[in-house]
Amino acid sequence: MGSSNEGSGSRLKTSFIFENIFFLTVFTVGVATANVFSQKFQYHQEYVLANNNFKVLDGIGSVISCASHCVSYAQCRGFSFSASQHQCEIKDTLADCSLSDLQSPVSDEVYYHHRPDQPCTRSELSLQGLPSSQSSLAGGVPSRAIDGDKRTSWLSSTCTHTASGYGQWWVVDMQKTTCIKKVVIYNRSDCCKNRLTDAVIRIGTNSNMTNPECGPGVTSTQVNSGSIIHMSCDLCGRYLSVNLPATKGSPLTICEILAYVDECPTNAALPSCAAIRNACYSSGSGTYEIDPDGPNNGVEPFTAQCDMNSGTTIIGHNSEDDIETPSGFETHGSYIKEIVYQASIPQITALIEISTHCEQYIKYECYETAFIYGAVWNVWWVSRDGDNMYNWGSVPTGTSACSCSLQSGCDTGGICNCVTNDGVWRSDEGVLSDKSKLPVTKIHSGDTGVSYEKAIFTLGALRCFG
């Protein structure tokens, strides 16, 4: 392998392996740390060289810039950045994450491992004791499918059984969003095995049997090859169900159903909720530690709320309830509400910089108050850099107006709905999405000199994607 790609100490090199979405663990390679890389990593490098499936970009100033170039190439699966040579290598390598029994990755799916010497491992998710139900009952209760007994004879009293009827189903409530990589069904072996032909496994957030399908339907080849049916998938959700087609009128019988998840053993925090969601993790929505700029770099790791249905990173603040401007603040912008987030501004900035998109909902409700009083703006928000911002909602940065003006739909024909004192409740709202300005750090308002003048604000949590 050529020395220009080994990172053997002649230059500082940072390498990432991922697929389709920019999130990654940073490896710094020098004389002292070269042994961190196993032969698996070297294999990735040799694969790139042997197939010439990489692109070298010169004049790249930062690892973030290198990552941005990688995202712009459809075939990019990883990149290496040389700080000393200002060089970025775009690669098409895939991470090794126990993919042997998975189907081909689809767009926007990520398979990733933290370190080559710590591959992902697959483990069975415990379903025993979780709430389960089925479309009808004819002698075999739904809990039998998750009782831990894998015997496949009806006489063993371990199999479920619905009545005959079209579109029979069985479902388990996993009680939190869980990312499933594989499902195994134990079918009856004593008779009636073809009842499971064309059954579809579904995983998702809806309890009404309309969730995405986990792989194709069960085939006749599978049911005739033995009592154990394997189905690979990569779906997250709270409900796992087995559904017979609406055109099939037989009973549904399941002797046992198993669900498998992937876990990556590591003590390091991943960069974002999207990274956790799309890596080899089986995590439900909740609070997680993230580290947007990687270990031992810049900001410290911090906790964030993760919506694992979408991989959204959510940073809350102290003012998510409605904010009402008190009476007695008549002067322009004299009332100031400071927004305190659950992470520091440098930490939030690091998250924003690696995210593909961030947004924050904002709303102003008015009664006898106005955005503009005379010729001067009365209400504004402040960016993370301390800039006063007069775009309210989805209006482009630098524009002093509200979202309604984009469609010429403001109530009074002006640039905002809240521009007149006429005894009518109005509101202006929208989504702020300029990553260079978010998050909102303060809100200024006024024109509430007397008690009947009302100004109420709503500011949502910061939400970052990708």
Side-chain angles (χ1 to χ4, degrees):
M1 183 164 59
S3 61
S4 63
N5 282 278
E6 285 184 303
S8 59
S10 60
R11 59 188 172 98
L12 179 67
K13 187 168 184 176
T14 307
S15 296
F16 300 75
I17 298 175
F18 73 117
E19 183 179 357
N20 292 337
I21 297 177
F22 166 42
F23 73 92
L24 308 168
T25 295
V26 181
F27 298 104
T28 302
V29 184
V31 174
T33 58
N35 292 332
V36 170
F37 291 92
S38 69
Q39 292 181 353
K40 288 183 182 180
F41 178 77
Q42 295 173 4
Y43 167 78
H44 285 309
Q45 295 279 28
E46 290 170 351
Y47 172 84
V48 171
L49 293 176
N51 292 275
N52 200 31
N53 293 330
F54 71 101
K55 183 179 183 69
V56 178
L57 304 174
D58 294 315
I60 304 302
S62 70
V63 68
I64 295 297
S65 178
C66 186
S68 299
H69 283 285
C70 181
V71 171
S72 69
Y73 287 89
Q75 299 304 314
C76 182
R77 296 296 181 268
F79 65 87
S80 295
F81 174 66
S82 168
S84 62
Q85 297 187 15
H86 301 288
Q87 192 175 78
C88 179
E89 293 177 359
I90 304 298
K91 308 175 184 182
D92 66 351
T93 56
L94 285 174
D96 174 14
C97 191
S98 304
L99 298 180
S100 59
D101 60 349
L102 290 179
Q103 297 174 340
S104 298
V106 297
S107 176
D108 294 330
E109 293 293 344
V110 178
Y111 299 102
Y112 160 74
H113 62 90
H114 282 277
R115 284 172 43 177
D117 57 350
Q118 291 185 332
C120 299
T121 57
R122 181 154 294 170
S123 60
E124 180 185 336
L125 177 69
S126 177
L127 299 177
Q128 287 182 254
L130 294 177
S132 59
S133 58
Q134 59 192 34
S135 52
S136 57
L137 183 62
V141 295
S143 60
R144 288 183 176 182
I146 50 175
D147 61 2
D149 194 326
K150 299 175 182 177
R151 288 180 292 174
T152 56
S153 168
W154 175 251
L155 294 179
S156 64
S157 300
T158 62
C159 302
T160 70
H161 201 304
T162 70
S164 297
Y166 292 98
Q168 298 294 308
W169 52 263
W170 175 94
V171 65
V172 59
D173 180 358
M174 296 181 287
Q175 298 189 316
K176 67 176 184 178
T177 300
T178 305
C179 300
I180 304 297
K181 300 292 185 178
K182 182 178 179 179
V183 175
V184 176
I185 298 178
Y186 284 73
N187 194 13
R188 281 185 64 175
S189 59
D190 51 351
C191 84
C192 320
K193 58 185 178 181
N194 286 321
R195 290 175 177 174
L196 207 55
T197 302
D198 298 326
V200 173
I201 300 166
R202 295 180 180 271
I203 297 171
T205 58
N206 298 318
S207 59
N208 57 2
M209 307 300 122
T210 59
N211 291 310
E213 297 181 8
C214 172
V218 176
T219 65
S220 58
T221 300
Q222 286 177 303
V223 299
N224 290 318
S225 299
S227 60
I228 303 176
I229 297 168
H230 296 257
M231 193 69 69
S232 295
C233 65
D234 191 3
L235 291 173
C236 296
R238 174 173 173 172
Y239 300 95
L240 185 159
S241 67
V242 180
N243 305 73
L244 290 179
T247 56
K248 187 166 185 173
S250 65
L252 174 62
T253 301
I254 303 171
C255 294
E256 193 71 15
I257 187 165
L258 308 178
Y260 290 85
V261 297
D262 276 356
E263 297 177 347
C264 295
T266 179
N267 293 322
L270 286 173
S272 69
C273 297
I276 300 171
R277 161 67 180 87
N278 292 302
C280 304
Y281 275 79
S282 58
S283 308
S285 298
T287 302
Y288 292 86
E289 186 178 70
I290 62 172
D291 191 3
D293 58 2
N296 304 316
N297 287 314
V299 301
E300 292 295 318
F302 60 96
T303 57
Q305 290 295 317
C306 292
D307 178 354
M308 288 306 178
N309 294 311
S310 58
T312 306
T313 306
I314 304 170
I315 309 296
H317 57 78
N318 65 338
S319 303
E320 291 184 53
D321 295 331
D322 289 344
I323 307 165
E324 183 169 359
T325 303
S327 297
F329 289 87
E330 184 66 25
T331 306
H332 308 293
S334 56
Y335 174 75
I336 304 173
K337 179 64 178 181
E338 184 171 356
I339 311 301
V340 180
Y341 289 88
Q342 295 167 354
S344 69
I345 295 302
Q347 288 172 323
I348 295 172
T349 301
L351 170 67
I352 290 172
E353 287 178 348
I354 68 160
S355 300
T356 56
H357 174 76
C358 294
E359 62 183 39
Q360 195 166 14
Y361 172 79
I362 194 166
K363 181 179 182 180
Y364 173 49
E365 297 174 89
C366 57
Y367 182 84
E368 289 290 319
T369 60
F371 270 108
I372 303 173
Y373 187 67
V376 180
W377 276 77
N378 180 58
V379 176
W380 63 89
W381 60 277
V382 180
S383 74
R384 69 171 184 257
D385 294 325
D387 298 326
N388 292 339
M389 308 298 298
Y390 301 97
N391 58 306
W392 203 262
S394 309
V395 182
T397 298
T399 304
S400 299
C402 302
S403 295
C404 62
S405 65
L406 297 176
Q407 295 82 30
S408 300
C410 299
D411 290 348
T412 57
I415 59 174
C416 295
N417 292 320
C418 292
V419 292
T420 184
N421 296 338
D422 59 359
V424 176
W425 274 101
R426 292 190 172 89
S427 65
D428 286 287
E429 62 186 310
V431 175
L432 305 171
S433 59
D434 186 342
K435 289 170 54 179
S436 69
K437 300 299 181 182
L438 292 175
V440 176
T441 59
K442 295 179 182 178
I443 292 177
H444 285 252
S445 71
D447 195 19
T448 58
V450 294
S451 60
Y452 63 81
E453 294 176 321
K454 302 293 184 182
I456 301 174
F457 300 88
T458 303
L459 182 67
L462 178 72
R463 303 172 66 87
C464 289
F465 308 86

